[in-house]
Amino acid sequence: MTKSRIRNNIRKLRFHCSEMTQQQLAEKVGVTRQTIIAIEGDKYSPSLEVAFRIACVFAVPLEEVFQYESADPEARE
Amino acid sequence: MNLSYREQSIWGSLAITLIVYGYYFATVFSGAQPSQIDRTALARLIGAVFVIVVIEIAYHILIALKSKVEPKDERDILIETKAYRNSYLLLVADLFMLMGTVVVFGLTPLLTVNLMLLSVVISEIVKYLTQLFFYRRGI
């Protein structure tokens, strides 16, 4: 089975965005603070819609927020 | 440990279910089993359900005053869906086993009702445990 993971830069982006708190981001995205904590800690992969909403809050492209990391060497090439 | 409103709600419901139904089933299964559903058995059953509802309401008012109540988001719904799936599968398995037991051993109506209630309570506990597992481990 190919193990894959989605990494994110939310913590860094929050810091560069006037040190936005998790609560502020959660309110802007429309999810709970617990969900932001889970996403930041790679414990939850959000839906495409929430992922786009997070990218919109920081005004950056989606791939700047989330990166797909595959364990399959062929997929990396 | 800093728990969200939803996790506090689940922990509380789990504890209340275990304590109240634990006491109820300990009382019911410790004595001799009457063959018919009499007034005492019915009062005990309704009493247990009533006590659960009252304590649950009081507990949820208390934690709503202490913590911020947030509406469910997609993660909460996903976790709840997985919890309901586990709970449902267990309930169906339990009920099929119970049907077989009733046919083979010819259980009394009261015992059958209590075993059905036990199946529902167990599936409810599994639902709570599944939710707590996914909230802690991630999904």
Side-chain angles (χ1 to χ4, degrees):
Chain A
M1 200 175 106
T2 308
K3 190 184 171 192
S4 66
R5 296 205 60 159
I6 297 174
R7 301 272 176 207
N8 70 81
N9 295 319
I10 296 175
R11 200 183 300 266
K12 199 170 79 185
L13 288 164
R14 275 198 303 111
F15 183 77
H16 290 304
C17 195
S18 315
E19 295 188 19
M20 184 190 285
T21 64
Q22 290 171 328
Q23 184 62 47
Q24 287 168 331
L25 178 60
E27 282 165 13
K28 286 184 180 185
V29 175
V31 296
T32 63
R33 183 174 155 259
Q34 309 303 321
T35 296
I36 296 296
I37 293 169
I39 295 169
E40 276 192 11
D42 291 329
K43 285 184 167 185
Y44 174 62
S45 298
S47 68
L48 201 53
E49 193 182 334
V50 167
F52 271 113
R53 271 193 252 150
I54 293 170
C56 280
V57 168
F58 296 121
V60 293
L62 188 64
E63 57 268 31
E64 212 170 297
V65 186
F66 295 99
Q67 294 82 40
Y68 178 71
E69 207 172 70
S70 175
D72 183 5
E74 284 177 25
R76 284 186 197 157
E77 287 163 11
Chain B
M1 192 161 53
N2 188 17
L3 295 177
S4 66
Y5 166 79
R6 210 153 299 285
E7 276 185 278
Q8 286 182 54
S9 162
I10 298 165
W11 273 115
S13 297
L14 176 64
I16 294 165
T17 304
L18 285 172
I19 293 166
V20 177
Y21 280 119
Y23 176 76
Y24 171 78
F25 286 118
T27 313
V28 165
F29 292 127
S30 63
Q33 293 291 320
S35 57
Q36 293 302 315
I37 300 175
D38 58 8
R39 280 188 176 184
T40 316
L42 201 62
R44 209 180 271 165
L45 182 63
I46 293 169
V49 174
F50 181 74
V51 167
I52 287 255
V53 171
V54 170
I55 298 175
E56 282 267 4
I57 290 171
Y59 175 73
H60 280 87
I61 289 172
L62 194 74
I63 56 167
L65 291 172
K66 286 177 74 180
S67 330
K68 192 185 173 200
V69 182
E70 291 177 300
K72 283 180 194 170
D73 66 6
E74 59 172 40
R75 178 168 155 268
D76 296 316
I77 293 167
L78 182 64
I79 289 174
E80 196 175 56
T81 307
K82 283 182 184 277
Y84 271 120
R85 181 203 58 190
N86 288 357
S87 169
Y88 168 78
L89 290 174
L90 186 72
L91 183 63
V92 169
D94 269 359
L95 288 181
F96 272 107
M97 280 195 289
L98 183 60
M99 280 192 270
T101 313
V102 170
V103 171
V104 173
F105 297 105
L107 303 180
T108 63
L110 182 60
L111 186 58
T112 308
V113 167
N114 277 319
L115 287 175
M116 281 171 72
L117 182 63
L118 182 63
S119 300
V120 172
V121 171
I122 290 171
S123 67
E124 192 78 352
I125 290 168
V126 166
K127 188 193 112 194
Y128 294 140
L129 291 176
T130 308
Q131 282 178 297
L132 291 172
F133 174 76
F134 283 123
Y135 273 120
R136 285 287 119 193
R137 196 213 66 171
I139 188 163

